[in-house]
Amino acid sequence: MSLPFKKPSILPGFWPAFSYTILYLSLIVLIPLSAVFLKSVTSTWSHLWRVVTSPEVVASYRLSFGASLVAGMISVVVGFLVAWVLVRYQFPGKALADALVDLPFALPTAVAGIALTSLYTENGWLGRYLAPLGIKVAFTPLGVVVALTFIGLPFVVRAVQPVLADADAELEEAAASLGANRWQVFRLVIFPIVRPALLTGFALAFARALGEYGSVIFIAGNMPMKTEITPLLIVTKLEQYDYAGATAIAAVMLTASFLLLLAINALERRTRKFMTMG
Amino acid sequence: MKPTTFFKRALALLAGSVLFGAGPVKLLNVSYDPTRELYQDINAAFAKQWKAKTGVDVEISQSHGGSSKQARSVIDGLQADVVTLGLAYDIDSIAEHAHLLPANWQTRLPNNSTPYTSTIVFLVRHGNPKHIKDWDDLVRPGVSVIAPNPKSSGGARWAYLAAWGYALKKNNGDDKKAQEFVTRLYKNVPVLDSGARGSTTTFAQRGIGDVLLDWENEAFLALDELGKDKVEVVTPSLSILAEPPVSVVDRVAAKHGTTQVAKAYLEFLYTAEGQEIGARHYYRPRSPEVAAKYASRFAKVQLFTIDEVFGGWQKAQKRHFDDGGVFDQIYLR
C-alpha cells in the first residue's frame, strides 16, 4: 500500500511544514470549533432541534444566507469593475483610490454600521431622496445587503486585481487581430482568466458577510422575523442564558457555511483545472 | 547567595508585601448600562468614608453593559465582588447558573436589596408634537415608538411590563385585552435595539421615532445632555416600580477577601449620603427624608410592583420573555 499522499515535491521540509499546518489548524480553528459542537450537546436533542427550527431562527437563516449571497454577488460585479479600473487605467488620485478600497477592512464595523444607518434613514443624506421613491434602506433587509456589500467589496477587488494585472495584454490583442469583437474578447479571453479569482473573492466576501455582526445590527432594525440576522439571535440566546441554544444555532450556521465554502472551492478548482487543460 | 536562600528571601518579601504593605483594597462593581455616572460619584464618596473609618484605601472599578450581558460575564468568570444590575432576574441567573451567591440573596438587604428605584417614562420631541400624554397614545396609528428588545435589555422588560400593567388596570384585569394592547404597542416600534443606550441613540442622535420608552434616570440624563429645547420627559399616569437590585457576589468576594468592604459598599447606598447621590442622578430614593428633600425632581406617578401584577420575575420571565413566550407571539402573527 502506498501513502495516501502524492509523492511530495523535491523541495525539502514537506513533513515539518505539513505537521505545522495541521497543528496550527487544530489549535486555531478546529479546537475552538469543536468546543462549539461539544457545548451544544450539553442539552437535550429535542431542545436543540426546537431552537434551530423555531420560526424566528429559520427566518434569520433566510436573511443571513440570502443577504450574504446577494451581497457577495454585488461585490463580485462591482469589485471586478473597480479592479479593472485600478489595473487598466491611469488617472490622477489612483493611489488614493487604491488605498480607499482597503478602508472597510480597517474600519471598525460598528462605525461603518452607524455611518451607513445615518446615511440611509428616512431623514439621512441619501435616505431622504430615496424615501419619496418608496425605497427604504435602513431597517429593512435591503439595508442588511448594503452593509454586507460594503464590507465584502475589498475581498473581491484584492482577489481579482493581481490576476488581472498578470494577464497578458497580448492575448487580447491576438484575439482582436483574429477578428473577435470587444464582447468576445471579454467573454472568451478575460473572463476565463479571472473566473477563479472572482470565485475566491466571492467565497471570501460571502463568508465574511455571513459572520458579520457589528455593522449589520445598526442598520437592520433587528425586527423579529424580518430583519434579525442569525449572529444576532446567537447573541440574544446567550443573553437569555441559553448557552446550548446559542451554540446549536452556531453549529447549524458553521455546518452550512462550511458546506457552501467547500462547494465554492470545488467549483474554483474545477475552473482552474479546466483552464490549465485549456 | 545560595539559590535556596534567595528564594526564601524573595518569598518572605512577597509575604511581607501582602501582609503589611497591602496596597489599596480592590473592588469590582459589575453594573448595567445607565449607572455609569451614578457609581462614579458613589465610589468616590464611599472610598473617602471607608478611608476615614478604617484607614484603608479602597479602589473600585466599574464595568457597564446590558444587564443580562453583564450577568453572563459574571457567570463566565468576570471577577465581580458586587453586582448592581437592572433586574433581580439577572442576579437570580448568576445564583442559578454559577452558584456564586445563595438563592435568597434578595432578602439580605432592606427593600428587596434595592437601595434606589426607578420607573419607566416617555421621552418625546420638543413641544410634544404628537400629544403623547399616557400609554394609550403609544398605540395610536402613526405614532412611532422606540424601545429596545425586551429579550436582551433589562430596561425594555420593565417598559413592556409597565405597558402590560397599565392595560390590565384599564381593562379591569382582562389578560387578553392587555396582550392586544402590548401587541399594538410593539407594532408601532420600527427598530428594536439590543440595549437602552442603543435606543437612546436611535431616538436622540438619529432622530427616529416620536417617543422613547426609557428608564426615568436615563431619560433625565438625555434631557440634560440634549437640552430642553430638543426633548421633553412625559410621565404616564401609571407605571411600574422598577427595582434594580444589588448584591455581594459571595464566592468571588470570599476569594478576594473583600466580603466586609463589599458589604459596607452596598450598605453605603442606603445611607443618607448614598441616597442623596442617587437622587441627584435621578434614581428615586428609598429613604423618606431624602425622598422628601428631592420631591420636586420626581413627578408623582402611581406605581405598581412586579410582584403585585406578575407574581415576580421568574413568572414574568417565563410567560413573557422566554422563547415562544408572549413577546415572541407578537411577531409570529
Side-chain angles (χ1 to χ4, degrees):
Chain A
M1 262 200 65
S2 63
L3 278 171
F5 293 101
K6 280 186 203 157
K7 196 173 184 305
S9 81
I10 49 166
L11 278 176
F14 169 75
W15 281 108
F18 181 73
S19 333
Y20 178 75
T21 307
I22 293 295
L23 180 76
Y24 181 85
L25 268 180
S26 306
L27 281 179
I28 306 290
V29 181
L30 292 178
I31 293 177
L33 287 189
S34 39
V36 168
F37 285 91
L38 283 178
K39 187 115 193 174
S40 63
V41 291
T42 53
S43 183
T44 61
W45 285 107
S46 67
H47 169 73
L48 295 181
W49 182 249
R50 216 170 45 242
V51 168
V52 300
T53 57
S54 73
E56 199 185 351
V57 176
V58 171
S60 84
Y61 299 143
R62 247 198 319 269
L63 176 66
S64 266
F65 284 95
S68 302
L69 213 64
V70 174
M73 290 196 273
I74 297 175
S75 295
V76 162
V77 176
V78 181
F80 177 74
L81 272 176
V82 172
W84 178 264
V85 168
L86 286 177
V87 169
R88 290 297 169 95
Y89 301 104
Q90 292 302 328
F91 55 92
K94 182 172 159 177
L96 199 70
D98 203 21
L100 271 178
V101 169
D102 283 333
L103 211 55
F105 279 145
L107 203 65
T109 51
V111 176
I114 293 170
L116 288 172
T117 313
S118 343
L119 273 180
Y120 284 107
T121 52
E122 275 171 49
N123 45 18
W125 286 356
L126 284 172
R128 77 177 64 159
Y129 301 110
L130 293 173
L133 307 173
I135 305 172
K136 279 191 191 169
V137 180
F139 316 127
T140 66
L142 185 60
V144 178
V145 172
V146 168
L148 295 180
T149 308
F150 176 82
I151 53 150
L153 190 68
F155 289 99
V156 179
V157 179
R158 289 303 178 231
V160 174
Q161 213 176 0
V163 178
L164 212 51
D166 281 350
D168 287 332
E170 285 89 348
L171 286 177
E172 287 166 54
E173 286 159 13
S177 75
L178 290 171
N181 61 30
R182 301 293 288 255
W183 171 241
Q184 282 169 323
V185 170
F186 174 78
R187 197 166 56 91
L188 299 171
V189 179
I190 301 169
F191 186 66
I193 294 174
V194 296
R195 192 163 47 192
L198 278 174
L199 273 171
T200 309
F202 174 76
L204 288 171
F206 173 71
R208 178 75 177 78
L210 269 181
E212 176 58 16
Y213 178 76
S215 61
V216 180
I217 50 160
F218 288 100
I219 201 167
N222 309 326
M223 301 305 287
M225 306 298 294
K226 285 194 206 113
T227 55
E228 273 185 326
I229 51 167
T230 311
L232 174 71
L233 281 178
I234 296 175
V235 173
T236 310
K237 288 274 179 281
L238 283 177
E239 271 165 30
Q240 296 174 287
Y241 311 108
D242 185 2
Y243 287 61
T247 41
I249 302 176
V252 168
M253 226 184 155
L254 268 175
T255 313
S257 322
F258 183 69
L259 291 177
L260 276 168
L261 289 175
L262 211 63
I264 295 171
N265 278 350
L267 197 67
E268 188 197 320
R269 251 199 317 280
R270 238 192 53 187
T271 38
R272 267 192 221 285
K273 214 161 155 190
F274 179 73
M275 258 179 58
T276 45
M277 276 163 38
Chain B
M1 203 193 296
K2 277 195 292 183
T4 43
T5 23
F6 173 75
F7 275 120
K8 270 182 194 159
R9 281 191 192 176
L11 216 65
L13 208 68
L14 200 71
S17 70
V18 169
L19 287 173
F20 306 108
V25 179
K26 285 190 179 144
L27 274 188
L28 174 60
N29 175 3
V30 171
S31 195
Y32 62 117
D33 238 346
T35 55
R36 229 172 238 110
E37 296 78 10
L38 166 73
Y39 280 108
Q40 270 162 20
D41 288 359
I42 290 277
N43 293 349
F46 173 73
K48 213 168 122 197
Q49 197 223 41
W50 187 251
K51 171 94 179 160
K53 210 157 123 190
T54 63
V56 177
D57 284 309
V58 55
E59 210 178 278
I60 303 153
S61 319
Q62 306 167 234
S63 159
H64 297 274
S67 190
S68 342
K69 189 162 57 194
Q70 293 293 84
R72 187 160 50 74
S73 302
V74 174
I75 293 173
D76 289 343
L78 182 64
Q79 296 290 302
D81 302 278
V82 299
V83 282
T84 54
L85 294 179
L87 50 147
Y89 182 76
D90 288 328
I91 304 186
D92 280 345
S93 299
I94 300 176
E96 185 194 338
H97 293 277
H99 310 287
L100 294 174
L101 64 169
N104 70 346
W105 61 272
Q106 211 173 357
T107 59
R108 299 190 296 185
L109 284 166
N111 305 107
N112 285 331
S113 292
T114 315
Y116 42 75
T117 66
S118 191
T119 186
I120 298 297
V121 299
F122 310 156
L123 197 66
V124 299
R125 308 256 170 234
H126 176 64
N128 198 355
K130 295 262 172 129
H131 309 289
I132 292 156
K133 295 275 172 234
D134 210 343
W135 292 100
D136 292 307
D137 300 315
L138 304 185
V139 300
R140 280 200 326 243
V143 171
S144 157
V145 182
I146 303 298
N149 188 337
K151 295 186 104 170
S152 52
S153 156
R157 263 176 263 183
W158 288 115
Y160 171 103
L161 295 174
W164 190 283
Y166 171 84
L168 262 189
K169 178 132 196 278
K170 199 183 146 213
N171 297 301
N172 302 315
D174 188 334
D175 211 54
K176 236 189 152 120
K177 289 239 169 81
Q179 182 166 355
E180 254 171 52
F181 183 87
V182 171
T183 302
R184 272 170 66 203
L185 196 160
Y186 278 90
K187 295 277 180 207
N188 276 351
V189 177
V191 191
L192 279 176
D193 286 291
S194 60
R197 279 278 151 102
S199 283
T200 310
T201 315
T202 299
F203 180 78
Q205 316 292 341
R206 274 178 237 140
I208 297 165
D210 302 309
V211 51
L212 170 72
L213 292 186
D214 211 350
W215 291 98
E216 185 178 44
N217 53 287
E218 186 84 342
F220 277 108
L221 196 73
L223 186 68
D224 282 350
E225 263 170 35
L226 298 166
K228 291 192 165 60
D229 54 335
K230 289 269 170 25
V231 289
E232 291 173 18
V233 174
V234 172
T235 310
S237 65
L238 177 78
S239 195
I240 194 161
L241 180 75
E243 297 183 303
V246 302
S247 178
V248 172
V249 184
D250 298 39
R251 296 222 335 233
V252 177
K255 196 172 90 189
H256 295 171
T258 50
T259 308
Q260 203 194 349
V261 55
K263 266 190 186 151
Y265 176 64
L266 296 184
E267 278 157 12
F268 177 75
L269 297 167
Y270 288 87
T271 62
E273 194 184 354
Q275 292 279 292
E276 286 217 12
I277 295 173
R280 280 205 292 277
H281 287 279
Y282 301 102
Y283 289 87
R284 292 181 177 233
R286 289 286 197 183
S287 138
E289 294 82 40
V290 178
K293 192 171 160 191
Y294 287 87
S296 61
R297 291 206 135 193
F298 302 103
K300 284 224 160 25
V301 49
Q302 205 189 335
L303 297 171
F304 60 87
T305 70
I306 184 167
D307 294 338
E308 282 162 26
V309 177
F310 300 95
W313 265 114
Q314 293 293 339
K315 274 191 185 162
Q317 173 74 28
K318 209 172 167 92
R319 168 153 188 235
H320 293 277
F321 309 119
D322 272 359
D323 288 337
V326 178
F327 181 73
D328 278 353
Q329 301 301 322
I330 294 176
Y331 292 95
L332 288 179
R333 270 189 247 157

